[in-house]
Amino acid sequence: MTIHSNVTKPPPTQPVRFNRHGVWAIYKFEMARALRTLWQSFLAPVISTALYFVVFGSAIGSRMEAIDGTSYGSYIVPGLIMLSVLTQSVSNGSFSIFMPQFSGTIYELLSAPISAFEAVLAYVGAAATKSVVLGLIILGTASLIVPVEIQHPLWMLGFLVLTSVAFSLFGFILGIWGQTFEQLQFVPSLILTPLTFLGGSFYSIDMLPPFWRTVTLFNPVLYLISGFRWSFFGTSDLGVGWSLLMTSLFLLVCLAIVSWMFKTGYRLRS
Amino acid sequence: MPTALSISNLNKVYDGGLQALTDVSLEIRKGEIFALLGPNGAGKTTLISAVCGIVSPTSGSIKVNGNDAAKNFRAARAAIGLVPQEISTDMFEPVQSTVAFSRGLFGRAPDPKHIEKVLRQTALWEKRKDRIMTLSGGMKRRVMIAKALAHEPEILFLDEPTAGVDVELRRSMWDVVRELRRSGVTIILTTHYIEEAEEMADRIGVISNGKLIVVEDKTTLMQKLGRKRLSLQLQEHLEQLPGELETWPLELAGDGWELHYDFDANAEDSGVPALLNKISGLGISFKDLNTSQSSLEEIFVGLVNKN
């Protein structure tokens, strides 16, 4: 075997202020990975959510009372979209940074002329994109099974993007923190899913006894679902301002933690 | 010669308390091939990782083309390509896209022609659409080299580049390295193959227990530290060394048919004429003699053991 030695003099390296090629390279790589694992990335969550709609929307939902004037099948659409978007955002965000650490390819990211902000922008941007696409696909699937109306489509999109970004960022933090696959799965399955189920995905908190209603107010996911549901039906358990505030606050806390992680090199650099 | 890389008083203490680097200072000249030798755990990879930004130094400074690696990390890192010791890349990716990814990551605009050139250089063009997981070990290692060359670095770090690579391919890689040097790329390589350093390096550094114990031109190092051996093939077999020769650093070898005398090649008086006179005076005759220089490997082992 012969290696061809045909090398030209390297041009002087020009430093850049913003490594847009680097951001795009990571973003493209992550999106390509999602397409490569299409079944895991999109089809599996769509099928499982569609089953929820069939069971709770069409089968059981037809025997349930309307909530705030909305049929039960339609009422659970925003909550079920959020359930998938939250879990997939966390999963996408965490695996995007966990896998390079696990496989050792993180060396390339750490040795590249790319800032922490740019790396997070690329990884979280790709994770959030996948979640938004997934949310829209589930919305499309739901509209085939139950009647769906969206009163504030721009707000709906805004909440979807904001939630996807915030939870992809949260997943990114988990991905840096987690050292085993078990740790990665712990938060989504044992914390996030229960919080989503108990955060009003399938019911209005007005249906709860006063004590449990108060307890539910401490569940951050409630604010996400409530705001998202408002964008669909124009009514919600809580004011839309609260939903926006809590989601933005969560995003800012995640941003602060990620900044600290990159600044200190926490579990990234020895 | 201008400096490509300047390391001053670099220290690295890991969280567990292990002092991996102790006060390492080193200047790498532009366009040279510098070989960093050292036993396992000596600190070679830590040193490379600190320069490339993978490990945070505890103290000291690193300048790449005059750019501080911490303060001006973009300029510093953009100039460096790294071939790590381990084959670490996404095994599900096709060869061409993983090399193109590396170019983008390092801030360079897409350039399919350059990617093609690099893939041809590393004999991977025919395999460009194959997933990395389907390649042989040697090919995977070449993918790592191609990735490091994708952004046209001015300085290339090769951490054990030919480990696990067959002899023919190793020599082909040496050709690539020489060509890169000819094109102006500065090359710093760590290796366990002393032959590799002897074959390619302009200068050699030896690191042991985190300390850089020697930095020298290869030829100077070999002259300075090299020992010579005089071997005499005897006419008659000797059972043991005669008592008169016990004060000389002689070794009887070859089942009594050979005498070895090690001497300092640079010493004013090597002792060779006096020894030959002495041997002649004792009536010991020889049919042939030759001298040989210590190999770099022997020098390296000597240095590390001494340290």
Side-chain angles (χ1 to χ4, degrees):
Chain A
M1 197 178 299
T2 308
I3 288 182
H4 307 283
S5 306
N6 177 22
V7 191
T8 51
K9 188 177 176 65
T13 323
Q14 297 295 324
V16 288
R17 283 188 183 171
F18 179 79
N19 187 351
R20 66 191 167 94
H21 293 299
V23 172
W24 179 238
I26 295 173
Y27 184 86
K28 219 168 61 170
F29 175 85
E30 285 297 312
M31 293 309 289
R33 193 158 61 92
L35 290 176
R36 216 167 49 212
T37 54
L38 200 63
W39 175 256
Q40 182 196 331
S41 302
F42 294 112
L43 294 181
V46 166
I47 288 172
S48 60
T49 313
L51 288 173
Y52 276 116
F53 285 126
V54 169
V55 175
F56 292 104
S58 297
I60 299 175
S62 58
R63 294 164 187 241
M64 303 277 284
E65 281 180 27
I67 302 173
D68 295 334
T70 308
S71 71
Y72 187 70
S74 301
Y75 185 83
I76 62 170
V77 170
L80 283 178
I81 293 175
M82 272 294 160
L83 177 65
S84 282
V85 166
L86 291 186
T87 47
Q88 285 303 307
S89 295
V90 171
S91 170
N92 290 334
S94 58
F95 271 89
S96 67
I97 192 69
F98 177 80
M99 285 311 289
Q101 290 193 92
F102 182 75
S103 63
T105 56
I106 191 85
Y107 87 89
E108 205 173 15
L109 178 70
L110 296 177
S111 63
I114 193 162
S115 68
F117 169 74
E118 289 157 357
V120 172
L121 182 68
Y123 280 115
V124 172
T129 304
K130 285 182 252 180
S131 298
V132 170
V133 170
L134 177 71
L136 293 175
I137 292 174
I138 292 174
L139 178 62
T141 312
S143 65
L144 298 174
I145 304 166
V146 293
V148 176
E149 58 164 332
I150 305 167
Q151 288 195 10
H152 307 286
L154 283 181
W155 276 101
M156 187 278 290
L157 206 59
F159 269 113
L160 188 61
V161 170
L162 194 62
T163 307
S164 298
V165 171
F167 278 81
S168 295
L169 206 51
F170 179 59
F172 195 79
I173 292 167
L174 282 182
I176 294 176
W177 166 79
Q179 291 183 308
T180 61
F181 283 99
E182 195 184 10
Q183 284 177 334
L184 280 198
Q185 293 300 328
F186 178 79
V187 173
S189 54
L190 291 180
I191 298 176
L192 211 55
T193 305
L195 283 180
T196 313
F197 271 83
L198 298 172
S201 297
F202 297 100
Y203 53 83
S204 163
I205 59 164
D206 290 337
M207 296 162 79
L208 297 173
F211 173 76
W212 288 110
R213 188 180 186 282
T214 309
V215 169
T216 308
L217 289 175
F218 289 94
N219 179 353
V221 177
L222 170 73
Y223 296 85
L224 304 177
I225 294 175
S226 182
F228 197 53
R229 184 168 284 142
W230 171 84
S231 70
F232 277 74
F233 310 124
T235 56
S236 62
D237 291 331
L238 304 157
V240 67
W242 275 109
S243 297
L244 199 60
L245 180 74
M246 294 299 277
T247 316
S248 305
L249 203 65
F250 184 69
L251 178 69
L252 288 175
V253 170
C254 290
L255 273 175
I257 295 172
V258 166
S259 304
W260 172 81
M261 282 175 153
F262 270 93
K263 201 174 171 185
T264 58
Y266 174 78
R267 290 203 172 164
L268 287 170
R269 286 191 168 84
S270 310
Chain B
M1 201 181 278
T3 305
L5 173 66
S6 175
I7 299 168
S8 304
N9 307 110
L10 197 70
N11 286 283
K12 174 62 190 174
V13 182
Y14 283 107
D15 288 344
L18 173 75
Q19 174 110 25
L21 295 174
T22 307
D23 217 23
V24 172
S25 295
L26 177 65
E27 300 258 315
I28 303 290
R29 301 163 191 160
K30 272 193 177 165
E32 74 170 331
I33 299 181
F34 185 88
L36 189 61
L37 305 179
N40 285 334
K44 301 186 295 290
T45 300
T46 300
L47 181 57
I48 287 180
S49 300
V51 174
C52 294
I54 298 165
V55 162
S56 304
T58 307
S59 64
S61 81
I62 299 163
K63 285 185 177 175
V64 181
N65 286 338
N67 297 302
D68 189 285
K71 290 177 190 155
N72 196 359
F73 77 95
R74 285 188 197 276
R77 292 186 200 166
I80 293 175
L82 167 66
V83 181
Q85 200 168 330
E86 303 292 332
I87 298 173
S88 309
T89 185
D90 191 323
M91 294 291 167
F92 297 98
E93 277 285 293
V95 172
Q96 193 168 19
S97 59
T98 197
V99 176
F101 167 80
S102 297
R103 182 176 174 84
L105 190 62
F106 277 74
R108 303 299 297 257
D111 185 350
K113 281 189 177 170
H114 178 72
I115 301 300
E116 180 180 343
K117 191 174 76 179
V118 168
L119 291 176
R120 287 193 188 281
Q121 257 177 265
T122 46
L124 287 167
W125 181 244
E126 302 303 320
K127 299 277 180 187
R128 64 190 179 281
K129 289 180 181 161
D130 292 10
R131 285 183 174 194
I132 296 166
M133 63 193 294
T134 64
L135 303 181
S136 68
M139 282 182 185
K140 284 178 188 153
R141 194 156 283 282
R142 277 184 281 148
V143 171
M144 302 307 292
I145 295 176
K147 278 168 78 69
L149 293 175
H151 67 283
E152 300 161 74
E154 294 167 62
I155 302 169
L156 185 65
F157 280 94
L158 298 157
D159 196 2
E160 305 280 353
T162 55
V165 165
D166 65 51
V167 177
E168 191 193 352
L169 187 57
R170 187 180 302 163
R171 291 195 176 274
S172 302
M173 283 189 178
W174 292 354
D175 289 341
V176 170
V177 171
R178 285 195 198 94
E179 276 299 314
L180 284 168
R181 195 266 291 272
R182 265 198 283 279
S183 72
V185 178
T186 306
I187 291 154
I188 298 139
L189 69 95
T190 70
T191 181
H192 274 116
Y193 301 109
I194 308 290
E195 183 197 359
E196 198 159 78
E198 202 166 354
E199 178 82 20
M200 289 202 297
D202 300 308
R203 286 197 307 148
I204 286 170
V206 178
I207 190 167
S208 180
N209 292 325
K211 292 177 190 163
L212 202 56
I213 50 177
V214 168
V215 175
E216 195 64 85
D217 281 344
K218 181 181 68 185
T219 43
T220 313
L221 181 68
M222 292 185 72
Q223 277 170 5
K224 216 191 243 181
L225 298 171
R227 303 281 299 173
K228 272 196 157 183
R229 168 168 285 187
L230 172 70
S231 299
L232 301 174
Q233 270 76 50
L234 304 176
Q235 287 278 19
E236 287 169 19
H237 169 259
L238 286 180
E239 280 298 330
Q240 58 180 37
L241 274 177
E244 292 86 341
L245 291 177
E246 273 178 2
T247 53
W248 292 79
L250 283 166
E251 183 194 342
L252 193 60
D255 288 332
W257 290 97
E258 250 180 63
L259 263 182
H260 290 167
Y261 170 61
D262 291 330
F263 62 96
D264 183 351
N266 302 301
E268 219 167 272
D269 179 15
S270 64
V272 172
L275 176 67
L276 294 179
N277 279 337
K278 186 83 180 170
I279 285 173
S280 176
L282 290 169
I284 301 171
S285 52
F286 50 90
K287 53 186 176 191
D288 196 10
L289 84 171
N290 66 65
T291 60
S292 59
Q293 179 97 31
S294 312
S295 69
L296 191 56
E297 182 156 353
E298 288 163 332
I299 296 171
F300 168 70
V301 170
L303 276 171
V304 171
N305 288 342
K306 194 173 152 191
N307 193 57

